[in-house]
Amino acid sequence: MRRRLDIRRYPGFLPVTILCLVVLYAPLLVVMVYSFNDSLSITRWGGFSFRWYMDIFTGPESAKFKDAAWNSLTIALCAATASTTIATAAAVAMVRGGAFRGKALNLALISMPIMVPEIVTAVATLIFFSAIGFTLGYLSILVAHIVFCIPFAYLPIAARLQGIDGSYEEAAQDLYASRFQAFLRVLMPLMAPGILAGFLLAFIISLDDFIITNFIKGAGIETLPTAIFGAVKQGIKPNIMALSTIMLSVSILIVTLSYFISRYGRQGTKAGA
Amino acid sequence: MTETSIAIDVRNAVKRFGAVTALAGASLTIRDNEFFTLLGPSGCGKTTLLRLIAGFEEITEGEILLYGEDLGALPPNRRPINTVFQHYALFPHMTVAENVAFGMRRLGWTKADIEARTLRILDLVKLGDLAARRPAQLSGGQQQRVALARAMAPRPKVLLLDEPLSALDLKLRQAMRIELKQIQKDTGITFVFVTHDQEEALTMSDRIAVMSAGEIRQVGTPREIYEAPLDRFVADFIGETNVLDATVRRGSDDALTCHLTNGAAFPCHASVPPEDGAFAHVLIRPERLSLVPEAACDTGLTGVVDQAVYLGTDIQYGVRLDDGPDVLVRAQNVGADAVTHRTGDRVGLAIAPGAARLLVD
């Protein structure tokens, strides 16, 4: 019997792997470790402490961070909810709507925000908001976030829907369900893992967006990323590391959650499976 | 027959998908309380016809009547017709009982009625103890029963079955054929069954419609379809058959004799007697032929055994006729004392009475 091809036996596999891991994760590791540093310096270790975590919540900048965190969380929640709703409707139309004119164009338009450089979208959105006289602030951030979150929510939802056999909806309608009932009682529950994954992805994307937010937020309002950027401009203090570590943890948590949800949902979507 | 005893009346139904014609003017009537089968190879339009009856496709031309009422463009949820899908399409997020209750809930039955009916129907398909399971926890055969129960529960006027047995293994499939037929008899629901499996069709059906290329070629009982096929396609599709070219002679007493080019002549039958001297195809089923010693042969069909295949219940011989085509002969394997023939043996063929049937082009 022939041995299976083992990628670990390729020459140079180990050094390249280590290099990639170091480049990608060493900076993150440094930030995480030094967030527990009991010292004002960001390079010298002064012992373990939760000092900078306390500082975020009680220090001189705590009010600013709390406002920013509140803005970030509420905007991410609202933007993810709205964009997931729109993306779900779009996915049903695109995947279940049969062939219609301009379908390819539609798909291109839906996924364009992923392809367009973010700085371009940021500038364009700013110009557009100014042109129509939309006051920059919380609402303008929310609207922009809803828009650019749609494609990120759309992808997992559409992927999920494509895996659901059309005969489920036919069976529901055959058993006296109206189109809406068939959607609500059969298609929606089957799509749920995709919808949840899309929601979480949109939430994360909104939560850590910097470029667009920074352009269109207007004066006097910050989200966490813009607040961190503002603080860093005045010199990096270890409390930024603590804040970053918290954000990183939240992101990892949500991405892990989304992974397990979509993995769980992959079972039993083919008819007869 | 009165108008009310016709469950489904398909009148010149046409279905086109763009430039493709899936159904080219099909007409048939399905009687109340009948096990009716649409049989044909894949792409013959049988599933399209079923989907038209269910309401999943819109009819291009023609009409379909359910107990005398035109179904028109009624959506599937407004038709008192239920379907058993090929891959069952059981709702994976619901239990067996919830699956079965789905249709009755949508119809607004009372809770007590739904519960009673669910128990009753799960009992009928022998799944009473699995009501709380999810479809994924069931075997293929059990899923099939749930699909059947779910479709029958709301008491449809007609039950459509789209190749429901095709996903099961052979043993289970054979058992389910008999059970399906029994359930149909017990419940008195009209079954419209779609299959490409001729054996399945012959075992279960009261009547069969054989379809090909979007048309209905013949409608009849299994015996009529098998023994008196109307055309070459039906004869070929249902079971194996020998087709011989012959000239027909009509005797004084209207008895028909067919003459092959190699000089063989034997009596034959036709539903519509052809003209004297007409050219025709003669159909003879392999199991209606038997091998006899050459000297005792009165049909003039003699030849050499070309191959002998042991099939278990039967032994199938290929015989090369003298100056003629090859024919298949199937002899029942009656045991160790049966006369067997070897390749190269010279033999004669005897035809069972009434087994040679004419098809006139």
Side-chain angles (χ1 to χ4, degrees):
Chain A
M1 216 173 78
R2 232 172 57 143
R3 281 183 64 89
R4 271 201 358 194
L5 200 67
D6 188 348
I7 197 168
R8 280 171 297 185
R9 290 168 172 271
Y10 278 25
F13 174 79
L14 196 66
V16 171
T17 307
I18 291 173
L19 181 73
C20 287
L21 287 176
V22 167
V23 169
L24 283 173
Y25 293 110
L28 286 179
L29 204 66
V30 169
V31 166
M32 283 171 76
V33 170
Y34 273 83
S35 69
F36 297 102
N37 189 7
D38 187 17
S39 149
L40 253 176
S41 163
I42 55 164
T43 49
R44 219 167 314 125
W45 184 251
F48 182 89
S49 107
F50 284 111
R51 173 178 166 191
W52 299 113
Y53 287 88
M54 310 283 280
D55 183 78
I56 296 171
F57 294 101
T58 56
E61 292 171 303
S62 65
K64 193 176 88 184
F65 287 145
K66 268 183 210 160
D67 274 356
W70 177 250
N71 288 337
S72 271
L73 285 176
T74 53
I75 287 172
L77 211 60
C78 295
T81 307
S83 60
T84 305
T85 310
I86 296 169
T88 304
V92 172
M94 293 294 290
V95 179
R96 286 295 196 261
F100 54 87
R101 266 177 57 144
K103 189 169 180 173
L105 184 70
N106 252 301
L107 187 62
L109 283 176
I110 290 172
S111 41
M112 195 140 79
I114 295 181
M115 265 110 50
V116 174
E118 206 185 333
I119 186 74
V120 176
T121 311
V123 172
T125 311
L126 176 64
I127 294 172
F128 177 68
F129 281 168
S130 316
I132 62 168
F134 194 39
T135 317
L136 298 182
Y138 187 92
L139 216 56
S140 68
I141 301 175
L142 180 59
V143 170
H145 279 218
I146 290 173
V147 172
F148 75 69
C149 282
I150 290 172
F152 294 97
Y154 175 82
L155 291 177
I157 297 173
R160 170 78 185 177
L161 187 54
Q162 265 153 3
I164 299 174
D165 197 287
S167 62
Y168 290 117
E169 291 136 274
E170 284 187 348
Q173 286 181 51
D174 188 62
L175 292 162
Y176 313 108
S178 64
R179 275 173 166 271
F180 183 68
Q181 285 173 325
F183 174 75
L184 207 66
R185 294 187 182 276
V186 174
L187 196 57
M188 271 276 274
L190 293 179
M191 285 172 76
I195 294 174
L196 203 53
F199 176 87
L200 291 176
L201 193 59
F203 183 84
I204 280 293
I205 294 287
S206 164
L207 194 67
D208 85 4
D209 178 73
F210 173 73
I211 302 178
I212 293 176
T213 312
N214 199 39
F215 268 70
I216 53 140
K217 70 185 177 57
I221 182 165
E222 302 284 355
T223 64
L224 270 181
T226 63
I228 291 173
F229 184 70
V232 168
K233 272 198 295 195
Q234 291 145 28
I236 303 178
K237 266 174 54 187
N239 63 351
I240 296 302
M241 295 195 185
L243 191 56
S244 302
T245 304
I246 292 174
M247 280 189 78
L248 180 66
S249 310
V250 171
S251 295
I252 289 175
L253 192 76
I254 289 178
V255 170
T256 311
L257 209 63
S258 141
Y259 169 76
F260 279 111
I261 287 167
S262 65
R263 208 175 66 147
Y264 162 79
R266 218 166 293 152
Q267 302 154 358
T269 51
K270 295 277 183 290
Chain B
M1 184 176 297
T2 57
E3 188 68 22
T4 49
S5 65
I6 292 174
I8 286 182
D9 190 356
V10 180
R11 294 181 180 168
N12 201 27
V14 176
K15 176 64 189 176
R16 290 190 206 97
F17 296 98
V20 182
T21 303
L23 202 61
S27 296
L28 54 84
T29 54
I30 297 168
R31 294 173 198 144
D32 187 38
N33 198 4
E34 187 172 38
F35 197 123
F36 193 92
T37 299
L38 300 171
L39 174 66
S42 56
C44 72
K46 57 191 193 297
T47 297
T48 302
L49 180 52
L50 196 80
R51 291 175 62 82
L52 285 177
I53 298 173
F56 299 135
E57 309 283 355
E58 265 178 67
I59 197 162
T60 312
E61 279 169 37
E63 50 189 5
I64 297 173
L65 282 70
L66 179 71
Y67 289 96
E69 278 177 51
D70 188 2
L71 287 170
L74 272 187
N77 56 318
R78 306 269 303 277
R79 300 180 181 205
I81 296 172
N82 290 149
T83 308
V84 177
F85 290 83
Q86 185 169 11
H87 299 291
Y88 318 142
L90 298 177
F91 306 133
H93 56 296
M94 297 181 195
T95 64
V96 167
E98 285 166 348
N99 264 284
V100 172
F102 189 91
M104 299 183 277
R105 289 215 173 110
R106 302 287 87 70
L107 285 175
W109 289 27
T110 66
K111 219 171 168 178
D113 282 353
I114 293 175
E115 268 171 37
R117 178 74 176 156
T118 302
L119 284 180
R120 161 98 190 69
I121 206 89
L122 282 178
D123 235 31
L124 182 76
V125 297
K126 299 172 193 155
L127 284 178
D129 46 343
L130 299 180
R133 296 267 188 97
R134 297 271 166 132
Q137 298 168 294
L138 302 179
S139 71
Q142 290 167 335
Q143 291 183 13
Q144 212 267 323
R145 286 156 190 272
V146 178
L148 188 65
R150 183 179 71 173
M152 287 195 307
R155 300 186 199 281
K157 288 187 174 163
V158 173
L159 190 74
L160 308 177
L161 302 102
D162 186 6
E163 310 219 15
L165 304 183
S166 63
L168 304 179
D169 57 45
L170 183 66
K171 269 262 185 283
L172 201 52
R173 199 155 65 217
Q174 286 170 338
M176 275 309 289
R177 282 178 196 161
I178 296 164
E179 206 175 318
L180 263 185
K181 176 75 188 166
Q182 195 58 46
I183 288 173
Q184 191 270 329
K185 262 193 201 157
D186 293 349
T187 57
I189 299 174
T190 307
F191 275 35
V192 182
F193 189 91
V194 159
T195 184
H196 62 267
D197 184 331
Q198 42 110 358
E199 214 181 301
E200 220 165 83
L202 294 175
T203 345
M204 296 190 290
S205 319
D206 293 319
R207 287 194 306 147
I208 300 171
V210 183
M211 296 182 68
S212 158
E215 286 174 16
I216 292 168
R217 308 299 283 258
Q218 184 172 359
V219 180
T221 63
R223 182 173 282 264
E224 283 166 359
I225 299 271
Y226 188 78
E227 297 192 4
L230 279 185
D231 63 22
R232 180 83 187 259
F233 174 83
V234 176
D236 275 339
F237 192 73
I238 313 288
E240 282 176 311
T241 196
N242 294 299
V243 184
L244 305 171
D245 295 340
T247 314
V248 185
R249 291 282 164 220
R250 206 161 164 171
S252 51
D253 52 352
D254 271 355
L256 299 172
T257 315
C258 60
H259 296 260
L260 305 192
T261 47
N262 66 359
F266 47 85
C268 59
H269 303 266
S271 25
V272 186
E275 294 295 303
D276 186 58
F279 178 81
H281 298 295
V282 189
L283 306 177
I284 312 172
R285 297 284 181 190
E287 72 276 11
R288 311 295 296 274
L289 285 170
S290 51
L291 298 185
V292 293
E294 197 178 357
C297 175
D298 58 0
T299 56
L301 294 169
T302 55
V304 180
V305 175
D306 198 33
Q307 65 178 195
V309 183
Y310 179 77
L311 296 176
T313 56
D314 298 298
I315 297 171
Q316 180 175 290
Y317 297 102
V319 177
R320 174 155 299 158
L321 294 179
D322 298 329
D323 303 319
D326 291 354
V327 293
L328 285 177
V329 179
R330 197 169 269 215
Q332 221 175 44
N333 185 5
V334 287
D337 54 340
V339 182
T340 53
H341 301 266
R342 291 171 200 286
T343 318
D345 287 358
R346 284 204 57 83
V347 291
L349 297 183
I351 303 171
R357 294 201 63 94
L358 287 182
L359 275 187
V360 185
D361 283 337

